[in-house]
Amino acid sequence: MSSQVQSTGRKRAAEAGKGKATFSLTVHPGVVLEDCAFGVPVPPESFSPRSAIMSSPPHIGLRAKDHQASVPESLPPPEANAEAIHFLNSLRQEELQMLFFSETLAMVSNTGEPQGELTIDVQRGTHKDASGTMLHCPLVHAFSRGFMDKMLCGNSLLGYLSWNLEIKEQHSQEFIKFHVLPMERKMSLLKQEDQLAMTRSIKEGEEVKTEVTFFPWRSTAGFISESANLLLLRVMAWRWMVPSNARFLALDTEGKLCYSTYQALGSQTIQVDHQQVEVFIVEQTVHSEEGIPMSCQFYLLPDGHLARRVQVGSPGCCVITKMPIVREEDEIEPRPVFEKKPLIWEEDMELYSRFLDRKEQLRLGHTRYLQQHPDATALVSDFLLFLLLRQPADVVTFAAEHFGPFSSSWSPTPGLRSSNRPSPFRSLPWGPSRSGARLDLGPAGGGGPHTRAARLGRGAPPGGAPCGLRFGGE
């Protein structure tokens, strides 16, 4: 709705003192409109409250002042009860995401003749909130199109919901192409901070009638819009239950808040595409304060697919023609628990066989390496020879002394040194001795020729005798 229409509606609403701007609505008498959800003509009293354009009662054509004078003291607005609010608060995002799918039903008359097609699609969408942030939310899109007496008719619905089925934004349109006077009806719902704005317009030929209504947001608790109703029915089918004594809110054909109730009619086996399937039957009734109650029955598969839709008093219905793949909730199996058992690899044939293979592989590799490097065998033989000849008590220290000179980082050692040094890694105390002369000789046995040759003449102290003889005193 344009800003000009909104400002005009608010201005007239202030003049009327009702918070509601009502423009004159005229519908030619005797015109039979259609139930756009079915695409078939029905009497005005049997229209679907959610998808039909009704003939106006006599008082709607009056001006606002005359209408107010004829209405007694206004009744308090309806309110949803605690059971309905509790059921909506119990909805979970994961549960609703399981109900995101598309389905198509055929609209047929009571004689079985095809009248058109109805498609309902629920998916994950995005909607911009008041602060400009894009948020994920359920998106409901439904549309139907058919012919009635060779005249094109149909409707469309687009709604954005919260995860507890509160209305964010909704747009609906219904039309029927009469040869003389085509008619079109539009309605939009938009959440605006602390209120819900509803705009209704009816186009009859070239004349457009518009009505704007504002509902306080707190008074819409438990309100089920047309788009929310389609998703709520899937939830009831998924849970296979209807909340007991729950009383929701809905809009009647005049755009006024009224009570809406759901009743479980049990289960029934029907035939769908040559298959016998069990369906859950839910009846919805919209209790209009000014008209008769409007009821509609929904035959639902266990996963929420709509198998049949019947409006009480209508000569047509919507039926499914092809059996869908029924979705089931994934059952999460508990993780298996395996007891920890001691591993005795010698008794395991496979592990023992792998051990023998690896052992043989290493043996062959070691033998091949020693054959390719004979100097390694000579070094090991030389070390074992000196080890057996000297038989030291500290084999590790003896090995360090033996192989130390071969290291590039090994510090030079003197040829004559004390045989009482406990470790080859300890630095030798060079310097003058106060007790007199001291002669440092190598260990007993003197070592092999290679070792003595490496030690002699190396590491002589600065200023000392080449032979290693030191004199104390001055």
Side-chain angles (χ1 to χ4, degrees):
M1 179 184 64
S2 64
S3 59
Q4 181 180 1
V5 176
Q6 289 181 353
S7 61
T8 304
R10 292 190 181 96
K11 181 178 180 182
R12 298 193 179 186
E15 295 175 355
K18 283 287 188 177
K20 177 176 179 181
T22 304
F23 301 86
S24 60
L25 176 62
T26 304
V27 178
H28 292 277
V31 175
V32 179
L33 304 183
E34 60 144 357
D35 180 349
C36 293
F38 299 150
V40 294
V42 294
E45 59 272 12
S46 64
F47 287 171
S48 168
R50 297 193 175 273
S51 57
I53 306 174
M54 291 185 62
S55 301
S56 58
H59 68 270
I60 294 184
L62 301 177
R63 296 183 181 272
K65 294 182 180 180
D66 300 336
H67 180 62
Q68 292 175 14
S70 62
V71 176
E73 183 180 355
S74 59
L75 298 176
E79 295 181 357
N81 60 5
E83 289 79 3
I85 302 298
H86 176 73
F87 186 81
L88 294 178
N89 292 335
S90 68
L91 301 179
R92 297 177 292 106
Q93 180 176 346
E94 297 78 9
E95 181 182 23
L96 295 182
Q97 289 178 346
M98 292 291 296
L99 306 175
F100 288 178
F101 55 83
S102 178
E103 57 184 343
T104 301
L105 292 86
M107 299 185 297
V108 297
S109 63
N110 54 355
T111 60
E113 297 179 359
Q115 298 283 330
E117 194 173 71
L118 170 64
T119 300
I120 302 175
D121 183 20
V122 182
Q123 57 182 295
R124 184 185 181 94
T126 56
H127 185 267
K128 183 183 296 185
D129 61 3
S131 61
T133 306
M134 301 298 293
L135 300 176
H136 293 284
C137 64
L139 170 61
V140 180
H141 183 208
F143 59 91
S144 65
R145 187 173 294 266
F147 288 91
M148 180 193 68
D149 295 335
K150 299 182 180 180
M151 292 180 294
L152 181 64
C153 58
N155 68 347
S156 62
L157 174 68
L158 181 66
Y160 296 89
L161 307 171
S162 67
W163 294 108
N164 58 355
L165 302 188
E166 288 184 349
I167 184 68
K168 291 177 175 289
E169 184 178 355
Q170 177 179 290
H171 303 278
S172 61
Q173 178 183 9
E174 303 169 358
F175 69 90
I176 179 169
K177 300 294 185 180
F178 288 113
H179 298 298
V180 180
L181 199 64
M183 299 187 65
E184 182 181 12
R185 175 194 176 199
K186 294 182 180 179
M187 185 178 70
S188 64
L189 297 173
L190 181 62
K191 180 182 179 182
Q192 298 177 349
E193 297 181 356
D194 59 346
Q195 64 183 5
L196 178 65
M198 180 185 69
T199 304
R200 302 174 66 219
S201 64
I202 294 181
K203 182 178 181 182
E204 183 180 354
E206 298 299 329
E207 185 180 3
V208 179
K209 311 296 182 182
T210 304
E211 179 183 86
V212 182
T213 307
F214 296 94
F215 300 99
W217 184 252
R218 63 179 180 274
S219 67
T220 61
F223 170 67
I224 301 298
S225 61
E226 296 180 52
S227 53
N229 176 65
L230 297 176
L231 189 52
L232 181 62
L233 289 169
R234 293 185 177 184
V235 174
M236 293 179 181
W238 184 263
R239 297 184 180 183
W240 208 260
M241 59 84 66
V242 173
S244 178
N245 300 323
R247 188 173 64 245
F248 300 88
L249 296 182
L251 290 176
D252 60 11
T253 55
E254 300 303 323
K256 297 181 180 180
L257 285 177
C258 61
Y259 293 119
S260 175
T261 58
Y262 297 85
Q263 182 181 1
L265 302 183
S267 60
Q268 181 180 343
T269 302
I270 64 174
Q271 183 173 354
V272 177
D273 194 18
H274 306 291
Q275 297 185 33
Q276 297 292 326
V277 294
E278 186 179 11
V279 294
F280 183 57
I281 307 175
V282 178
E283 182 179 62
Q284 180 202 10
T285 303
V286 177
H287 306 270
S288 177
E289 294 182 358
E290 299 182 0
I292 62 175
M294 313 299 297
S295 299
C296 190
Q297 296 178 358
F298 301 89
Y299 295 70
L300 301 161
L301 297 178
D303 65 341
H305 278 87
L306 183 59
R308 182 181 299 173
R309 179 186 185 276
V310 178
Q311 182 177 341
V312 178
S314 173
C317 63
C318 297
V319 295
I320 192 172
T321 58
K322 184 178 180 181
M323 181 64 186
I325 300 177
V326 179
R327 304 173 60 181
E328 297 181 357
E329 186 176 5
D330 297 334
E331 296 182 0
I332 302 178
E333 298 182 356
R335 299 180 60 181
V337 179
F338 299 98
E339 297 181 0
K340 188 174 181 180
K341 299 181 180 180
L343 177 62
I344 305 177
W345 62 271
E346 295 89 344
E347 299 179 359
D348 190 285
M349 296 182 61
E350 181 180 359
L351 292 179
Y352 189 70
S353 175
R354 293 175 61 181
F355 165 76
L356 294 179
D357 294 342
R358 180 59 178 168
K359 180 179 179 181
E360 182 64 18
Q361 181 182 3
L362 292 175
R363 189 187 68 79
L364 294 177
H366 296 164
T367 303
R368 188 182 304 108
Y369 178 82
L370 293 178
Q371 291 176 353
Q372 296 174 355
H373 301 82
D375 51 343
T377 304
L379 289 175
V380 175
S381 299
D382 185 56
F383 170 71
L384 292 177
L385 175 63
F386 280 97
L387 181 66
L388 295 176
L389 288 175
R390 298 191 178 185
Q391 299 182 0
D394 190 353
V395 178
V396 176
T397 301
F398 179 80
E401 291 179 350
H402 180 82
F403 291 104
F406 295 96
S407 173
S408 59
S409 60
W410 179 265
S411 59
T413 55
L416 299 174
R417 59 183 179 175
S418 173
S419 60
N420 297 324
R421 191 162 66 95
S423 173
F425 304 106
R426 181 180 300 176
S427 59
L428 295 176
W430 293 107
S433 175
R434 297 182 181 271
S435 61
R438 182 181 66 186
L439 181 64
D440 292 339
L441 299 177
H450 299 291
T451 305
R452 288 194 297 273
R455 292 173 180 172
L456 288 176
R458 282 206 244 171
C467 63
L469 184 62
R470 300 294 302 274
F471 296 92
E474 297 182 356

